[in-house]
Amino acid sequence: SDHALDYPPSPQTMDWSAHFPAFANSGKTPEFADIGCGFGGLLIALAPLFPDTLMLGLEIRVQVTQYVQDRIAALRTTSAPAALPTASTAAAPYQNVSVVRANAMKFLPNYFPKSSLSALFFLFPDPHFKARKHKARIISPTLLAEYAFVLKPGGIVYTITDVHDLHEWMKAHLEAFPLFESVTEAELRDQGKGCILDAVYNSTEEGKKVERNSGEKWLACFRRKEATRTS
Ligand code: SAM
């Protein structure tokens, strides 16, 4: 339960240096957040593509979080060049990726300051099929306000699922929320975000499972609008 969850009282108290030692004095905070990251496939795929961008996975299951932590630690060790040129530790692979065990439905604003994220990922979230379980879904009007808060204007929400009903649900809620606007896959590819979309489709463990079972994948992406005086 949440009692066992250790979370920062506010983002300002979060010490990221333990997570990203190579960036300890950079003043950087995570810009990509993978909500319910599972076994970490997305983060591992994106880390080398955006070596200067800090990325964080949030995962509620203890063993799964531990697995991702171990996976990142191993990648950092095995991928480290034998002798790095001085002052280029940040160039060592996988230094920019980490994971926390967290209930993302409760504590997101404890981790991320306002307007700090440029990408939020909801990849193959638990579907919670039954109507009485819909409140447990990771996309809901209350939570959208939190997602809008932590995203920078222009930041992107990526959602993908193999459950058509959940796809319609996420799309309907995001479209109805005044601070988000729909953005097409083609538009994102034009903006150079094709490599992110490819990872969204193919890099996660759940996405690969869907692939093996020849399931369909439903993508929906949204842009955090510029704040206006009325919003
Ligand atoms: N995104 C991963 C993928 O595509 O392979 C994992 C998908 S899996 C179906 C959903 C994940 O979300 C599980 O690992 C689950 O433990 C995690 N999860 C569910 N509710 C969560 C919450 N409130 N906070 C953080 N993680 C959560």
Side-chain angles (χ1 to χ4, degrees):
S1 81
D2 291 340
H3 317 294
L5 281 170
D6 196 16
Y7 60 91
S10 76
Q12 288 69 35
T13 63
M14 187 68 204
D15 177 13
W16 292 114
S17 63
H19 284 274
F20 307 104
F23 292 87
N25 298 312
S26 68
K28 289 189 179 193
T29 61
E31 261 199 61
F32 289 5
D34 186 5
I35 306 301
C37 68
F39 295 96
L42 177 85
L43 298 163
I44 302 301
L46 291 182
L49 303 179
F50 301 90
D52 298 321
T53 301
L54 302 191
M55 312 180 180
L56 190 73
L58 294 98
E59 172 52 53
I60 202 164
R61 287 184 288 168
V62 181
Q63 272 114 341
V64 177
T65 311
Q66 188 60 53
Y67 172 90
V68 180
Q69 254 162 24
D70 295 347
R71 191 175 176 187
I72 294 168
L75 282 167
R76 284 184 180 176
T77 317
T78 55
S79 320
L84 281 170
T86 41
S88 69
T89 34
Y94 303 103
Q95 295 293 327
N96 57 327
V97 60
S98 193
V99 67
V100 291
R101 182 182 168 228
N103 184 343
M105 293 176 76
K106 292 197 173 172
F107 301 120
L108 212 58
N110 293 69
Y111 285 92
F112 306 115
K114 181 178 173 21
S115 310
S116 63
L117 298 180
S118 58
L120 249 181
F121 298 93
F122 298 93
L123 309 191
F124 305 96
D126 294 328
H128 298 292
F129 288 105
K130 298 198 178 103
R132 68 183 167 79
K133 287 273 192 177
H134 284 177
K135 60 180 182 300
R137 286 180 167 173
I138 203 94
I139 299 283
S140 72
T142 324
L143 289 171
L144 285 179
E146 290 193 357
Y147 303 149
F149 177 83
V150 294
L151 272 167
K152 296 177 208 266
I156 306 292
V157 174
Y158 298 86
T159 76
I160 194 166
T161 176
D162 57 325
V163 179
H164 188 253
D165 170 58
L166 178 63
H167 168 68
E168 293 296 341
W169 162 283
M170 293 194 290
K171 218 160 58 118
H173 280 90
L174 276 149
E175 273 166 2
F177 199 82
L179 288 174
F180 290 107
E181 62 192 358
S182 182
V183 46
T184 65
E185 179 169 353
E187 208 180 320
L188 289 172
R189 289 197 184 270
D190 279 351
Q191 292 167 5
K193 295 190 167 78
C195 62
I196 299 183
L197 289 166
D198 293 342
V200 164
Y201 272 111
N202 301 315
S203 73
T204 73
E205 287 65 22
E206 199 61 34
K208 287 181 179 154
K209 198 159 94 189
V210 175
E211 197 79 44
R212 284 196 298 275
N213 299 334
S214 315
E216 271 196 85
K217 296 177 187 177
W218 309 91
L219 176 86
C221 303
F222 297 83
R223 187 186 291 114
R224 170 47 163 109
K225 289 190 201 169
E226 296 291 332
T228 64
R229 230 173 298 166
T230 49
S231 51

